[in-house]
Amino acid sequence: MTAPDAVFSPGVEAAGPQKKLYHLRTLYEVTRELTGMTSISSILESFLPLCMGPVGASSGFVLIRYDDQTRVDLSSRGLAQEEVEALQQMTRELADKIFSSGAGLRTERSAPVVFRGRHLAREPLLPAGTEILVAFVLEQGVQGILGLGPRIDQAPYEQEDLDLVLGLKRSLRAVLQRAMAHEKIQAMNTRLEHQNLRLSAALQEMEDARDDLDRRALQLQALYDASVELSGLVEPHPILETFLLLVLGSFSVREGFLVVYDQGLGETEVTSRGLDPKEAEKLSTAAVRDVLFGLFVALKDRIPHIMESRWTTDPELLADVPGDVSAVVLFTVDEECRGALGLGQRLQGGGFSKEEHRLMSMLLSQFMVSLDNARHFVMAKRLNADLERRNLELEQTLADLTSARDEIDLLQTTKERILSLVHREKERVSHASWIDFAMLAVVSVVLGLLFNMASPSRLSLLPASMSGPSPETISRQLALAMHQEQQALFVDARPTEFFEQAHIQGASNIPLPLFDFVYDMKLSQIDPSRMIIVYGRTYSSHYDIEVVQKLLMLGHEQVFLLEEGLQEWPETMVEEGR
Amino acid sequence: MAALLRRILTHPLLALLFRLYMGGVFVTAAMYKINFTAEFATTIASYQIVPHWSVNVLAVVLPWVELLSGLMLIVGLRVKAAALVIAGMMVVFTLAILITLYRDLPISCGCFHTVDDPISWVTVLRDLAWLGMALHAYWFDRLLQLDQVFFRQLKEVEA
């Protein structure tokens, strides 16, 4: 684009009153016409003919260009289609060329720039024949360009026309600014509506979330209640009763039952609420057990795994289940423990929602955990009882073992003593001991004494010489005198063998064993008053005393015992032989 | 040869024969003395070795000692003790005979009968032989003893 031929300031040159009035009326009409319009494109469409007509332009265009978007509002009159399309495509280049030319068009407060002259016809970006070009800034980043082609009468535009155009431009600018403000308000309204919609949606979502949270809170409360109530229980049956009450209350169910078959403990736990007593009694029967296990079989591949539960609501399957049940929840605690929860009709009618299914599943999980703990508790109790019993047995065994050990020790000691005794006895047996001699001596003495006492020829233990009265003795001198005078008869009381060795001359031998025989032969005829002197004794036998005693008994009056015996008798008066 | 002789001389069978013989001798000797206690007392007194107050007691008891020890030898009961007792009596008897021979007392042995042959050195040799037999039995006898039965039981207990 080339520099304009001249730049006019509006209203500088005075016009005729009629024309001025016309122009003012035109401005008034245009302003009135455009006032109230809110669409930029409609404003442009309406403005262009209203602008071209008063100045007699054969063609023209007006466009609005926005910096921050590709949008271009364009309206044209009297231009060929190709020119309109070219203008539409080249709008941004044209605007850049005009508004970056240093003409001071930066803000909405900047005065419009008017290009006028023949040189505009050489500008390729403009439609052919453009004679007036007015550039203005609507607001920051929004520019407008008004272009007018030659007048219909081919006459050049006058200053009044240009002033009118500038006046119209001002009106257009004001209307456009209002329209743009309206558009902005509309856009803001639209955004606000959208935001309102989003807010409503968010509010709805929030309400849904709150409802969901309420449900979850309810579920959690139910779970918490179940957890609290079940946690304090350690026996299976109270757990069943508590859980059934909790479930019936939480789900508003009229009646129900809970059965657990525990093969591990070998027990069946049954509890029910609201059931007819006859129906409740059936729960413990084998028939119902078969029916409930039949439900497990009927589930086939949906059989609950460990710590899982499954719902069964098929009326055909539940036909044989006791009570007016609408659903049975089967559960498996472990391989040895299964059970069924029977639920009757609900107080408010209807079935169970998915949420309730989930809640029931969670409650049953909690229940199964508690039941499993209780089973382990029972098992532990049984094991403890068994352990206590085994402990007692072990203690008894230990006591027995200790006793046995003591006994063994005692036996060992006894054995050692016995072995020692045996050893000593062996030693004793293999050798002669003083006991043997003592025993032999004692037995011999006893037997000898007993036999001697019983024998007819019993022998006095003391010799007769010690038992009788002491005989009268005669001294050796007196005896010698009596021997010499032959006043006495000398009797040798020793055995014959000793007598033959040596005896007093003239003495008669009367050995004690042969006393009676020899006495009859030798002394029976002598005078009983004749003196008889008896001698003959040894260390081991006092023959003389015994013979004296016998002679005295036979009536001899003077029987004396020779003192000092044969040993002190004079050898000259001793002889040998018979 | 010496070993064979030693084996023969120490053979338990020989000890058994000596034991039975000595047992028989003492039982035989004791039987007469028990039946004729007074005569045996006279025999004891004739040796003039023991005091007169003990003669009768010895005459009553000694034959029973001989009888019991002789029976113990025969049945094999406490053989060593019985053999020692008999050996002891043989020592006493031999000493008594030696003393009597020394004193030259005109008495008979009185071992089996009151009217035995007079004591002589033969009597001493006989008694010494009997003493040897008794000691042999003491040392080497181990057959047919009643003690062995008890002994066997002791061994079983020990095992």
Side-chain angles (χ1 to χ4, degrees):
Chain A
M1 184 178 284
T2 58
D5 292 334
V7 176
F8 295 93
S9 299
V12 173
E13 191 178 338
Q18 289 295 326
K19 199 169 185 176
K20 204 168 193 171
L21 182 63
Y22 173 73
H23 284 174
L24 287 172
R25 188 172 291 166
T26 301
L27 283 171
Y28 171 72
E29 289 294 332
V30 168
T31 303
R32 195 186 63 179
E33 187 74 21
L34 296 180
T35 299
M37 295 184 76
T38 56
S39 170
I40 292 176
S41 58
S42 300
I43 290 170
L44 294 180
E45 285 293 330
S46 300
F47 171 76
L48 192 57
L50 290 173
C51 180
M52 288 171 63
V55 295
S58 59
S59 62
F61 68 90
V62 59
L63 61 87
I64 303 298
R65 181 249 187 183
Y66 304 88
D67 284 350
D68 56 350
Q69 47 190 295
T70 57
R71 175 186 168 187
V72 172
D73 289 319
L74 173 65
S75 180
S76 64
R77 284 289 189 275
L79 294 179
Q81 184 63 31
E82 299 82 44
E83 288 177 328
V84 172
E85 290 176 357
L87 189 61
Q88 205 159 19
Q89 290 172 358
M90 303 303 287
T91 298
R92 184 163 294 277
E93 287 78 4
L94 177 63
D96 290 342
K97 196 169 186 176
I98 292 172
F99 291 99
S100 61
S101 61
L105 282 170
R106 290 289 183 268
T107 66
E108 62 271 23
R109 293 180 183 276
S110 303
V113 176
V114 178
F115 299 93
R116 179 184 173 197
R118 297 287 179 184
H119 65 279
L120 293 176
R122 295 193 296 271
E123 176 57 52
L125 295 174
L126 294 173
T130 302
E131 291 188 8
I132 293 176
L133 193 67
V134 180
F136 55 93
V137 176
L138 283 172
E139 59 183 41
Q140 183 71 31
V142 182
Q143 300 92 27
I145 298 171
L146 172 65
L148 294 174
R151 295 180 62 167
I152 297 170
D153 55 5
Q154 296 296 316
Y157 289 103
E158 294 179 359
Q159 186 60 41
E160 291 85 359
D161 298 328
L162 191 59
D163 292 339
L164 179 61
V165 168
L166 290 173
L168 289 172
K169 189 272 302 176
R170 283 194 294 272
S171 295
L172 174 66
R173 185 166 177 265
V175 172
L176 282 175
Q177 284 177 335
R178 190 171 63 243
M180 286 175 67
H182 186 263
E183 271 192 1
K184 284 181 181 176
I185 289 170
Q186 285 289 334
M188 285 174 66
N189 277 338
T190 304
R191 281 201 302 274
L192 280 174
E193 281 176 5
H194 287 160
Q195 284 175 353
N196 275 341
L197 285 174
R198 284 205 301 273
L199 276 173
S200 296
L203 193 63
Q204 186 62 40
E205 285 176 2
M206 206 168 73
E207 285 179 357
D208 292 344
R210 191 185 62 196
D211 293 343
D212 190 44
L213 279 175
D214 287 343
R215 279 197 303 277
R216 288 180 185 276
L218 188 66
Q219 291 176 355
L220 287 173
Q221 183 64 39
L223 278 172
Y224 173 74
D225 291 344
S227 174
V228 167
E229 291 188 28
L230 295 178
S231 64
L233 303 172
V234 293
E235 298 286 345
H237 194 72
I239 288 176
L240 262 68
E241 287 186 331
T242 305
F243 181 71
L244 182 60
L245 276 176
L246 184 75
V247 167
L248 295 183
S250 299
F251 291 86
S252 303
V253 177
R254 294 175 191 278
E255 60 187 68
F257 66 82
L258 184 53
V259 186
V260 173
Y261 300 105
D262 193 338
Q263 294 174 335
L265 294 176
E267 289 180 357
T268 300
E269 297 287 351
V270 178
T271 187
S272 63
R273 282 285 182 279
L275 253 66
D276 184 73
K278 289 182 180 175
E279 295 290 310
E281 284 180 8
K282 289 181 185 174
L283 289 169
S284 303
T285 61
V288 171
R289 175 195 172 96
D290 293 341
V291 168
L292 293 176
F293 275 115
L295 294 179
F296 276 95
V297 176
L299 288 176
K300 294 180 181 174
D301 53 342
R302 292 196 304 116
I303 287 177
H305 296 115
I306 292 173
M307 288 293 169
E308 283 185 357
S309 57
R310 292 280 186 273
W311 285 71
T312 304
T313 54
D314 187 350
E316 288 183 9
L317 291 175
L318 304 181
D320 296 329
V321 177
D324 183 19
V325 295
S326 62
V328 169
V329 188
L330 303 172
F331 55 88
T332 301
V333 181
D334 59 29
E335 290 85 354
E336 296 180 329
C337 183
R338 290 178 177 180
L341 170 65
L343 298 171
Q345 302 301 326
R346 307 190 71 175
L347 292 173
Q348 72 270 25
F352 296 90
S353 66
K354 284 186 178 178
E355 286 297 326
E356 286 172 329
H357 278 228
R358 283 182 57 200
L359 176 59
M360 177 62 81
S361 174
M362 287 188 283
L363 286 172
L364 268 172
S365 295
Q366 180 69 37
F367 163 71
M368 284 189 282
V369 168
S370 296
L371 182 63
D372 200 29
N373 288 339
R375 291 172 64 238
H376 287 118
F377 177 73
V378 172
M379 283 181 192
K381 270 174 67 178
R382 291 184 180 176
L383 284 172
N384 267 343
D386 192 42
L387 276 175
E388 281 181 12
R389 184 178 56 75
R390 286 173 185 240
N391 258 348
L392 286 175
E393 287 177 1
L394 274 175
E395 283 176 6
Q396 184 59 42
T397 306
L398 274 176
D400 290 345
L401 279 174
T402 307
S403 170
R405 193 185 61 189
D406 293 343
E407 204 170 325
I408 286 170
D409 289 344
L410 185 65
L411 287 173
Q412 191 69 27
T413 309
T414 309
K415 181 191 170 187
E416 286 171 3
R417 288 183 181 172
I418 288 174
L419 284 176
S420 171
L421 188 67
V422 165
H423 189 68
R424 284 204 307 273
E425 193 62 19
K426 265 182 67 181
E427 289 293 313
R428 192 186 68 77
V429 166
S430 60
H431 295 93
S433 73
W434 290 110
I435 296 173
D436 298 332
F437 303 137
M439 287 291 293
L440 185 61
V442 169
V443 173
S444 298
V445 168
V446 171
L447 288 175
L449 293 175
L450 289 173
F451 184 82
N452 184 57
M453 285 172 62
S455 173
S457 56
R458 182 161 61 94
L459 181 67
S460 172
L461 292 180
L462 287 175
S465 58
M466 293 178 70
S467 57
S470 299
E472 291 183 49
T473 58
I474 187 169
S475 64
R476 184 169 59 89
Q477 291 77 11
L478 188 56
L480 277 170
M482 296 301 287
H483 185 267
Q484 287 171 354
E485 293 171 5
Q486 296 186 344
Q487 292 295 316
L489 176 64
F490 282 80
V491 171
D492 191 330
R494 297 177 300 162
T496 306
E497 296 84 357
F498 295 91
F499 177 80
E500 287 176 349
Q501 277 187 331
H503 58 269
I504 294 173
Q505 287 176 349
S508 298
N509 180 219
I510 307 179
L512 197 58
L514 304 171
F515 178 84
D516 293 337
F517 175 70
V518 177
Y519 177 80
D520 286 344
M521 285 178 60
K522 296 181 178 175
L523 302 179
S524 58
Q525 302 301 320
I526 65 170
D527 184 4
S529 61
R530 187 174 178 186
M531 179 185 287
I532 300 174
I533 297 173
V534 182
Y535 72 92
R537 64 170 59 182
T538 64
Y539 173 69
S540 298
S541 182
H542 294 182
Y543 306 109
D544 46 2
I545 294 177
E546 293 184 42
V547 169
V548 168
Q549 289 171 346
K550 284 181 178 290
L551 289 172
L552 288 172
M553 285 179 67
L554 289 171
H556 295 278
E557 297 167 356
Q558 295 188 77
V559 183
F560 298 95
L561 193 66
L562 176 63
E563 287 181 0
E564 299 165 354
L566 180 63
Q567 287 76 14
E568 299 301 324
W569 198 260
E571 288 186 4
T572 55
M573 297 174 73
V574 173
E575 61 179 2
E576 295 180 1
R578 291 178 182 271
Chain B
M1 187 64 186
L4 179 62
L5 187 61
R6 182 177 177 181
R7 191 177 168 188
I8 291 170
L9 288 177
T10 59
H11 201 277
L13 202 56
L14 183 62
L16 176 63
L17 285 175
F18 287 162
R19 195 187 90 201
L20 293 175
Y21 172 73
M22 289 305 296
V25 165
F26 269 75
V27 168
T28 306
M31 294 306 292
Y32 170 76
K33 294 168 186 169
I34 287 171
N35 286 324
F36 300 97
T37 314
E39 284 79 354
F40 183 55
T42 306
T43 303
I44 293 172
S46 65
Y47 278 89
Q48 300 180 29
I49 291 174
V50 295
H52 72 282
W53 49 264
S54 65
V55 170
N56 287 3
V57 174
L58 277 175
V60 169
V61 174
L62 193 59
W64 285 98
V65 176
E66 293 178 359
L67 177 66
L68 289 177
S69 50
L71 286 173
M72 286 166 70
L73 280 187
I74 290 170
V75 302
L77 176 66
R78 309 299 299 143
V79 169
K80 285 190 179 295
L84 267 186
V85 168
I86 284 176
M89 285 192 291
M90 289 313 303
V91 169
V92 172
F93 294 162
T94 308
L95 286 174
I97 291 168
L98 285 172
I99 290 168
T100 303
L101 284 174
Y102 174 74
R103 287 177 176 174
D104 193 24
L105 295 177
I107 59 171
S108 63
C109 170
C111 301
F112 296 97
H113 201 272
T114 311
V115 289
D116 281 342
D117 294 332
I119 287 173
S120 64
W121 288 104
V122 175
T123 312
V124 175
L125 290 176
R126 183 201 66 186
D127 282 5
L128 287 175
W130 285 350
L131 174 62
M133 289 180 188
L135 290 174
H136 191 277
Y138 174 83
W139 290 116
F140 304 112
D141 179 69
R142 58 175 180 273
L143 298 176
L144 297 176
Q145 293 186 359
L146 268 182
D147 291 342
Q148 292 296 336
V149 178
F150 180 58
F151 224 69
R152 213 172 297 129
Q153 289 174 347
L154 288 184
K155 281 181 179 173
E156 285 173 4
V157 169
E158 238 182 354

